[in-house]
Amino acid sequence: MPTFRTAVVRTSGGPGAIEIIDVPVVEPGLGEVRVEIAAAPVNPVDLGVASGFFHAMGLINQPEHTGLGWDFAGIVVATGPGVDLAVGTPVAGLVVGFDRDFGTYAEQLVVPAADLAVVPDGLDLVAASTVPLNGLAAAQIVDLLGDAPTGGNRLLVTGAAGAVGGYVASLAQDRGWWVTGLARAEDEEFVHSLGAGFTTHAEPGWDAVADGAALQEQGLALVRDGGAFVGVRPNAVPATERGITVAVVVTHPDGPRLGDLLARTASGELPARVHTVMPLDQVADAHRAMAKGGVRGRYVLQP
């Protein structure tokens, strides 16, 4: 029986608990494709899975092992019935949910074709792999914000130099928001490059706050009475106060939207920030390095 390698956690306990195991190759079913993965980024949520944070919350109940990794880019190597994508097509995509025995830290993956987007010419697969999770999260945050109200369009993006916040700062301008990014002083040039204003310290009174830094109640306190707040932690929604509209993003796959984000990345309109590429065998080292912080680009694993 053919197999492929994938990184999993059997008993959570941080980077040292990650194992690479062999699992059987699965053929795609109706509407599915099998992708040979070329690149899979490390995300903060993966560190939480490996550490047992989400197990402790009761969100993971896999009896054998839990898969790691949410987004990826690769090449279609097999297709099921009802699929228009051709073998050999470069694609990127996103798998969601905590309670699953598979992930994108793997050599292969079977996914619904509708959740994928074709990677445009000129965008390499490593860069493309960094777009799905954070790009779609940001786009869906902007959807929750909606169009900026006339006379009330001052949006503060916390963590504006981060993976999600950077996308929000750029995309929100399409909906009429006058964006200011809250970030560290050393990130000023990057935030300005997104077309946004910049601050290292924000006073209350903003029409809306997109809380990419997960400041939670501190972020909510920056919103004016009757304003809007969009958070990034579905498991911890701040209590509504002062007439503020509170929403939280729950990121989901969206093939067409991802296609637009990839096109805008290929054109240079959206940034693709890759810090370093590491082999799958060094997944524990990648987790340890990311946990130290201090870098803005992504750690990307290659099988």
Side-chain angles (χ1 to χ4, degrees):
M1 177 182 294
T3 62
F4 66 93
R5 300 164 71 241
T6 184
V8 302
V9 172
R10 297 186 198 271
T11 303
S12 56
I18 302 173
E19 301 177 48
I20 297 177
I21 64 173
D22 293 313
V23 296
V25 170
V26 178
E27 294 305 322
L30 180 66
E32 294 180 330
V33 301
R34 179 154 51 87
V35 178
E36 182 179 278
I37 295 177
V42 177
N43 290 289
V45 64
D46 300 317
L47 275 63
V49 172
S51 72
F53 177 80
F54 297 107
H55 293 76
M57 293 180 63
L59 296 176
I60 298 176
N61 299 287
Q62 288 297 321
E64 298 294 332
H65 59 256
T66 302
L68 291 166
W70 286 58
D71 43 0
F72 67 95
I75 303 294
V76 174
V77 292
T79 64
V83 172
D84 292 332
L85 286 172
V87 169
T89 302
V91 294
L94 170 70
V95 296
V96 296
F98 295 97
D99 200 25
R100 48 184 165 85
D101 62 1
F102 67 94
T104 64
Y105 292 9
E107 292 176 331
Q108 298 187 10
L109 187 68
V110 172
V111 287
D115 292 349
L116 301 177
V118 175
V119 176
D121 293 340
L123 184 62
D124 70 75
L125 294 180
V126 170
S129 75
T130 68
V131 176
L133 178 58
N134 296 306
L136 286 172
Q140 291 160 16
I141 286 170
V142 173
D143 286 347
L144 291 170
L145 287 168
D147 293 335
T150 302
N153 67 342
R154 296 175 64 249
L155 171 67
L156 179 71
V157 178
T158 72
V164 174
Y167 283 118
V168 174
S170 182
L171 296 173
Q173 297 172 59
D174 297 343
R175 304 293 290 270
W177 291 99
W178 186 267
V179 178
T180 299
L182 176 64
R184 300 179 303 194
E186 55 266 36
D187 294 317
E188 181 174 3
E189 182 178 353
F190 173 75
V191 174
H192 281 313
S193 76
L194 302 173
F198 174 81
T199 185
T200 58
H201 176 74
E203 297 292 340
W206 298 87
D207 298 308
V209 168
D211 191 25
L215 299 181
Q216 297 295 95
E217 285 75 15
Q218 289 178 284
L220 188 68
L222 297 173
V223 183
R224 65 166 173 80
D225 294 357
F229 174 91
V230 180
V232 295
R233 292 186 58 189
N235 61 317
V237 183
T240 302
E241 62 179 58
R242 298 184 287 112
I244 296 170
T245 300
V246 174
V248 177
V249 69
V250 180
T251 309
H252 57 270
D254 185 333
R257 178 68 67 85
L258 177 57
D260 175 66
L261 293 168
L262 290 169
R264 295 171 75 167
T265 305
S267 71
E269 181 182 347
L270 296 176
R273 293 183 287 168
V274 177
H275 175 64
T276 192
V277 178
M278 302 176 70
L280 180 62
D281 288 332
Q282 294 180 19
V283 56
D285 293 334
H287 272 228
R288 293 186 185 100
M290 183 172 178
K292 292 179 181 178
V295 299
R296 287 303 189 188
R298 312 292 303 285
Y299 289 91
V300 179
L301 299 171
Q302 284 191 321

